[in-house]
Amino acid sequence: MADRPQRLVIAITGATGAVYGVRLLQHLRQIGGVETHLVVSDAAVLTLHQETGLRRKEVEALADVVHKQNNIGAAIASGSFQSDGMVIAPCSMKTLASVAHGLSDNLIARAADVMLKERRRLVLMVRETPFNLAHLRNMTAVTEMGGIIFPPLPGFYHQPKTIDEMVDHSVARIIDLFGICHNLAPRWNGMNP
């Protein structure tokens, strides 16, 4: 794997919080050295436009490679496709359930299943509140399989002034999980008494 750039699969589903997937793609492009493979669900297209004003093509232009959600024959559907992991940002409860139960009913769920079976990093930015018992059990199942549940909860210790700063703080923490160097958000240096 040393002969290729770092490679991440990014999926955007129809849950609220489409900005997290967009900002992740924007920051990875800005940082450089990371090849991104994107899957946008049909429901995400609606949410992206509602929440960000962006159309599918504008979001797809942020990625290096784009895959259609129903293309189960795509490269990312195979364990032989070398990647460093996957982020589902945001992750709907439907997608969470598909991953938790190994349904592989579309390319997003299949690619996530590949990450788990190959023991690669899988991060789900689950978006729903409050959680019901099915949500919690599905999150537990994914965690037990090796996935990381990462609800995009803003931190306030860095005293953000804008929504962009809150979003970027969560995105920076996601990027940290893959060992990618950046300076997108302030780091905790302890409290000043």
Side-chain angles (χ1 to χ4, degrees):
M1 290 215 250
D3 293 343
R4 66 163 176 78
Q6 193 160 10
R7 186 183 282 164
L8 292 179
V9 176
I10 312 293
I12 301 176
T13 70
T16 189
V19 67
Y20 291 104
V22 171
R23 296 295 287 166
L24 178 60
L25 287 164
Q26 289 171 337
H27 285 309
L28 289 173
R29 169 146 299 170
Q30 202 171 43
I31 292 166
V34 180
E35 180 183 294
T36 54
H37 288 251
L38 176 65
V39 185
V40 178
S41 75
D42 291 339
V45 173
L46 300 173
T47 307
L48 278 161
H49 186 65
Q50 173 69 31
E51 294 182 355
T52 69
L54 296 173
R55 302 273 182 204
R56 179 192 292 264
K57 291 291 181 198
E58 294 170 289
V59 176
E60 290 177 344
L62 298 171
D64 295 303
V65 181
V66 176
H67 305 278
K68 300 299 179 194
Q69 76 170 0
N70 295 322
N71 184 8
I72 295 298
I76 62 173
S78 172
S80 67
F81 177 79
Q82 295 181 328
S83 72
D84 298 288
M86 178 176 185
V87 180
I88 305 176
C91 181
S92 67
M93 291 298 120
K94 177 185 180 293
T95 300
L96 169 67
S98 292
V99 174
H101 296 279
L103 299 183
S104 296
D105 55 347
N106 62 38
L107 185 56
I108 294 172
R110 174 59 188 161
D113 185 59
V114 165
M115 297 303 154
L116 293 172
K117 80 181 187 70
E118 298 294 329
R119 306 300 191 261
R120 297 179 187 145
R121 184 147 286 179
L122 172 65
V123 180
L124 282 64
M125 292 186 86
V126 295
R127 269 294 309 130
E128 185 62 74
T129 189
F131 296 128
N132 69 33
L133 186 56
H135 302 155
L136 295 169
R137 286 186 173 155
N138 288 337
M139 285 187 265
T140 299
V142 170
T143 301
E144 289 173 341
M145 289 185 271
I148 297 173
I149 302 299
F150 189 108
L153 304 172
F156 295 98
Y157 55 83
H158 62 287
Q159 301 179 343
K161 307 283 187 281
T162 66
I163 291 173
D164 281 345
E165 287 179 4
M166 289 189 286
V167 168
D168 285 349
H169 185 261
S170 290
V171 169
R173 296 199 55 223
I174 291 289
I175 293 171
D176 281 344
L177 289 173
F178 292 93
I180 300 168
C181 293
H182 67 85
N183 54 8
L184 301 176
R187 303 225 178 249
W188 180 250
N189 291 317
M191 296 181 94
N192 297 323

